[in-house]
Amino acid sequence: LFVTSTLGTDFMHGQCSGTEEMWGYCKDMPPCPPCDPINCVWSGWGEWYNPNPGTCIGLEVRNRTIKVHANQCGKPCEGSKVHSKTKVLDECKPQGADCVLSEWSPWLQCATQLDQSDRTRTVSKQPSRGGIPCLGSLKETRPCGGPKAVDCEFADWQEWTSCSTTCGEGRHTRMRRVKIPARDEGQSCKGMTLETASCSIEPCAGQDCKLSVWGEWT
């Protein structure tokens, strides 16, 4: 095929604008034979492997190949032949120790409501041989006039439920709810909100086996 292109003409303003194309067969070239498209097909991905065995490059790769090649009118394969991901082998990981922080100290007592109280913590163990460093501050400050800590408080136990049986031994339960939830670093409630115990009713009435009177001898 050949193509010719010309510029369009704007007669109103005396300017050229746009394009015009015309297609045709080349006189000296034979026509192309019919083509049934065969599209490219990838194979499945292979297993992950270390491209440099014995080294710690921090990567794993896997490969795939072209299973079916495209012909002249088919679509080529899209994508890469190699796929990589991060992979640090256990023997390549640093064997160091991470930083360890101590527990927070108690808040300092306030002399007046206009003061500030603070608490501190220290580095109990420094990181070594590539370990993770300590994160976070070593000192916290809060105003003394802020909200006071409120501890959690349970309500009284409710009455026991009826026994699960009408005679003999059964089970019954009682419940209680959280009356005041903890807030502002107050102590949480400790204990159960549901309690189960055995209960005994009067013994179930039994009935002994009774035999009839002996019949006559035969």
Side-chain angles (χ1 to χ4, degrees):
L1 292 175
F2 68 91
V3 60
T4 60
S5 177
T6 59
L7 293 174
T9 303
D10 186 348
F11 293 101
M12 294 291 295
H13 300 88
Q15 296 178 348
C16 295
S17 64
T19 60
E20 184 179 51
E21 295 181 353
M22 183 173 65
W23 294 78
Y25 287 101
C26 299
K27 295 181 179 180
D28 299 330
M29 298 291 293
C32 296
C35 179
D36 294 327
I38 299 177
N39 298 328
C40 176
V41 178
W42 287 111
S43 67
W45 286 104
E47 297 293 331
W48 291 101
Y49 68 95
N50 185 348
N52 294 317
T55 62
C56 296
I57 63 173
L59 289 176
E60 273 190 334
V61 298
R62 62 179 181 176
N63 302 321
R64 62 178 176 177
T65 59
I66 294 178
K67 184 177 180 180
V68 178
H69 289 269
N71 63 1
Q72 59 184 356
C73 59
K75 294 182 179 179
C77 282
E78 297 181 355
S80 63
K81 293 183 177 181
V82 182
H83 185 199
S84 64
K85 69 175 182 178
T86 302
K87 175 69 174 181
V88 181
L89 302 176
D90 292 338
E91 57 268 24
C92 298
K93 295 178 181 179
Q95 301 299 316
D98 297 338
C99 176
V100 178
L101 291 172
S102 67
E103 297 292 333
W104 285 104
S105 65
W107 288 100
L108 294 180
Q109 294 293 327
C110 297
T112 67
Q113 292 295 306
L114 301 179
D115 290 339
Q116 284 188 333
S117 176
D118 57 47
R119 64 177 182 176
T120 58
R121 59 180 176 177
T122 59
V123 176
S124 300
K125 186 178 181 180
Q126 293 286 353
S128 62
R129 299 190 303 277
I132 299 175
C134 285
L135 303 176
S137 63
L138 300 179
K139 184 177 181 179
E140 288 185 340
T141 303
R142 69 178 182 182
C144 293
K148 295 182 179 179
V150 177
D151 296 336
C152 175
E153 183 178 339
F154 279 122
D156 294 334
W157 284 103
Q158 297 178 2
E159 297 294 329
W160 287 98
T161 61
S162 301
C163 197
S164 60
T165 184
T166 56
C167 65
E169 185 174 348
R171 310 280 296 176
H172 62 172
T173 60
R174 65 175 182 174
M175 300 178 62
R176 62 178 176 177
R177 61 180 180 83
V178 175
K179 182 179 179 181
I180 301 176
R183 64 175 184 269
D184 300 322
E185 300 186 6
Q187 295 293 324
S188 59
C189 284
K190 296 180 180 180
M192 305 294 293
T193 57
L194 178 66
E195 191 175 53
T196 303
S198 60
C199 54
S200 296
I201 310 296
E202 61 182 11
C204 296
Q207 184 174 358
D208 297 335
C209 177
K210 292 184 179 181
L211 294 174
S212 63
V213 180
W214 286 104
E216 298 294 331
W217 291 98
T218 60

